[in-house]
Amino acid sequence: MGSLPRKIEIREANQALILEAAEKIFAMNGFKGATTGAIAREAGLPKANVHYYFKTKLDLYREVLRYILSDWMSAASTFEAHDDPAEALRTYVTAKMAFSRKRPYGSRVWAREIMSGAPVLEEFLGTTLKAWVKERTGIIRCWIRAGKIKAVDPQALLYMIWATTQHYADFERQIIILNSGNELSESRYRQRTRQVVDLVLGSVGLTSQVR
Amino acid sequence: MGSLPRKIEIREANQALILEAAEKIFAMNGFKGATTGAIAREAGLPKANVHYYFKTKLDLYREVLRYILSDWMSAASTFEAHDDPAEALRTYVTAKMAFSRKRPYGSRVWAREIMSGAPVLEEFLGTTLKAWVKERTGIIRCWIRAGKIKAVDPQALLYMIWATTQHYADFERQIIILNSGNELSESRYRQRTRQVVDLVLGSVGLTSQVR
DNA sequence: TGGTATCTTGACCCAACGGTCAACATACGC
DNA sequence: GCGTATGTTGACCGTTGGGTCAAGATACCA
């Protein structure tokens, strides 16, 4: 199948397998609570094999976070795709909701890392994310000065968007239980995404055009 | 000092000491990641003493959750304190923000429990909380029918309020790092509380009277 | 086909874990 | 003061944890 040497194929396939298993186990139990044995079991490999591809548990954890970060940043980049605040916010919130749906484990690993004091993500938060926030709050301030949206605190708005969208990943279990044990269907989730968009737009004084 | 027998005094004081320490350690590392040794160290007691007051780690964990729940429910009860939606929402959001400020560890233990699949809280969520949500969404639907607020999805609104207010406890570390390493001062936090209230009111079409 | 680099794995090591226990200390009713 | 119930603690136990290793299997190049 693949044209590249089989050895490399195997290596990448196994690494991906382990990373995916690790993301799930770390999401479930956090860094300290996760065991390399559980990760190996989840991946269907012997423990020693996990340690062959990733020297230590911390190395593996760092790799998982790096993997999540790349997806997070690509959702983040949708923010400035539009000039119009309504369109920009709608696109961003929709992208974040999609991320929560597609990678709930990733979101939970992130949340647990922060709750543990962000020992690994500290540097990223203090540099890349901080710069991102500064830029984005600048854009929001522009919108306010231009009278395009209500005068809200940009950071409070950003945090509300993060919190609300990530809630659907991090608290998925709670949402399911409150929904009588049923997962939100694909169509219900799309509907909910629209409702969240409407709430966010409403919070800055923009009424959704559809209604 | 105390008029009640010293033995009981000692017992309650030690239990409270251990519970507080446990809440912090569980918040930091989750159930599996936390160790009874770490809890004992945090409480300034030998490990065996912790096991004297709480038979197993799971017992202690359950007790910590029960302790948190009582505070959570008292914040929840502020919801129906007012007839006017603006006043009710303001009061509720303010109470939840105060809870996040006062008991950040409790909020994080809750979050971690849910992310682990809610093995212990499952029953509470499926009964008490579910009933609470049903009642509250009913109230919100009333407001909508009466034309007092915009027609938003009640559950989506509730989840947004939970997510946003709990974000200030669960992601405290991230917020601090994004704030150049400084905690939000008491006055900044009060200001932020008002900003969050404004966003929530805005999302349902109510403009804060103050502005 | 033979040699080398990479992959696979059961067995193993030691530290740390949750939990127990027996010996001792303290408080309190009598 | 004396006996008993409660509180305190270092030492200990069996298990599980992260990580290692050496011996074998597999893929690749010449």
Side-chain angles (χ1 to χ4, degrees):
Chain A
M1 254 188 234
S3 56
L4 70 168
R6 189 100 85 82
K7 278 285 171 66
I8 290 173
E9 238 178 58
I10 288 172
R11 184 168 194 87
E12 291 184 348
N14 274 344
Q15 281 181 338
L17 194 70
I18 294 165
L19 279 172
E20 201 181 335
E23 186 174 310
K24 187 169 176 179
I25 300 298
F26 282 134
M28 209 82 133
N29 305 107
F31 175 72
K32 282 191 82 172
T35 69
T36 54
I39 292 168
R41 209 175 319 120
E42 178 73 28
L45 295 167
K47 193 178 67 165
N49 209 335
V50 170
H51 277 97
Y52 172 72
Y53 285 107
F54 300 91
K55 221 154 299 186
T56 66
K57 188 167 87 155
L58 185 58
D59 280 344
L60 176 52
Y61 180 66
R62 266 195 272 257
E63 228 45 58
V64 168
L65 278 178
R66 195 200 310 279
Y67 182 40
I68 293 163
L69 240 60
S70 64
D71 257 26
W72 197 94
M73 289 304 282
S74 80
S77 72
T78 66
F79 194 99
E80 63 259 56
H82 298 85
D83 245 16
D84 177 46
E87 218 40 59
L89 287 172
R90 179 191 310 280
T91 310
Y92 182 53
V93 169
T94 303
K96 289 237 76 175
M97 285 296 280
F99 179 75
S100 284
R101 180 76 171 184
K102 200 182 54 187
R103 293 201 56 190
Y105 296 131
S107 183
R108 275 171 242 173
V109 174
W110 176 298
R112 287 196 121 106
E113 160 70 10
I114 305 294
M115 288 195 284
S116 298
V120 174
L121 278 183
E122 175 143 40
E123 207 216 319
F124 167 83
L125 296 178
T127 57
T128 313
L129 189 62
K130 196 176 170 185
W132 188 91
V133 168
K134 197 171 177 181
E135 234 182 284
R136 253 37 60 160
T137 51
I139 294 175
I140 294 169
R141 252 182 279 274
C142 269
W143 292 340
I144 293 171
R145 266 198 301 274
K148 289 179 176 175
I149 64 169
K150 226 171 68 175
V152 301
D153 183 81
Q155 214 176 52
L157 173 63
L158 225 39
Y159 290 176
M160 187 180 79
I161 293 172
W162 288 352
T164 304
T165 55
Q166 285 166 211
H167 182 80
Y168 287 87
D170 301 343
F171 290 76
E172 188 187 15
R173 194 71 240 275
Q174 178 172 292
I175 291 169
I176 288 176
I177 294 174
L178 290 176
N179 195 34
S180 306
N182 305 120
E183 223 183 312
L184 264 62
S185 69
E186 200 56 52
S187 69
R188 275 285 275 119
Y189 196 80
R190 269 201 302 275
Q191 185 189 19
R192 179 54 59 93
T193 299
R194 268 178 271 122
Q195 292 163 341
V196 171
V197 167
D198 283 354
L199 285 169
V200 170
L201 291 182
S203 73
V204 298
L206 296 168
T207 305
S208 177
Q209 64 269 48
V210 198
R211 69 155 326 128
Chain B
M1 249 183 242
S3 56
L4 69 167
R6 190 99 84 80
K7 277 281 169 71
I8 290 174
E9 237 178 59
I10 288 172
R11 185 166 193 90
E12 290 185 348
N14 274 346
Q15 281 181 339
L17 194 71
I18 294 165
L19 279 172
E20 200 181 337
E23 185 174 310
K24 186 169 177 178
I25 300 298
F26 283 133
M28 208 83 134
N29 305 108
F31 176 72
K32 282 191 81 171
T35 70
T36 53
I39 292 168
R41 210 176 317 119
E42 179 71 29
L45 295 166
K47 194 179 64 165
N49 209 335
V50 171
H51 278 96
Y52 173 71
Y53 285 106
F54 300 91
K55 223 155 298 189
T56 68
K57 188 168 87 154
L58 186 58
D59 281 344
L60 176 52
Y61 180 66
R62 267 196 270 258
E63 227 43 59
V64 167
L65 279 179
R66 194 199 310 277
Y67 182 42
I68 293 163
L69 240 60
S70 64
D71 257 28
W72 197 94
M73 290 303 282
S74 81
S77 71
T78 65
F79 194 100
E80 63 258 55
H82 297 86
D83 243 16
D84 177 46
E87 217 43 55
L89 288 171
R90 180 193 310 280
T91 309
Y92 182 53
V93 170
T94 304
K96 288 237 74 173
M97 285 296 281
F99 180 75
S100 284
R101 180 74 171 188
K102 198 182 55 186
R103 293 204 48 195
Y105 295 131
S107 183
R108 275 172 241 172
V109 174
W110 177 298
R112 288 194 119 109
E113 159 70 10
I114 305 293
M115 288 194 284
S116 297
V120 174
L121 278 184
E122 176 143 40
E123 207 216 319
F124 168 82
L125 296 179
T127 57
T128 313
L129 189 61
K130 198 177 170 186
W132 188 90
V133 168
K134 197 170 178 184
E135 233 182 285
R136 254 36 62 158
T137 52
I139 294 176
I140 295 169
R141 251 183 279 275
C142 268
W143 292 340
I144 294 172
R145 266 200 301 276
K148 288 180 177 174
I149 64 169
K150 226 171 68 176
V152 300
D153 183 81
Q155 211 175 54
L157 173 63
L158 226 39
Y159 289 177
M160 185 179 80
I161 292 173
W162 288 352
T164 306
T165 54
Q166 284 166 210
H167 182 80
Y168 288 88
D170 301 344
F171 290 76
E172 186 186 17
R173 194 73 241 273
Q174 179 172 291
I175 290 169
I176 288 175
I177 294 173
L178 290 175
N179 195 34
S180 306
N182 305 120
E183 222 184 311
L184 263 61
S185 67
E186 199 56 50
S187 68
R188 274 286 274 118
Y189 197 80
R190 269 200 303 273
Q191 184 188 19
R192 178 53 58 92
T193 299
R194 268 178 269 125
Q195 292 163 341
V196 171
V197 167
D198 284 353
L199 285 169
V200 170
L201 292 182
S203 72
V204 298
L206 296 169
T207 304
S208 177
Q209 64 269 49
V210 198
R211 71 156 317 153

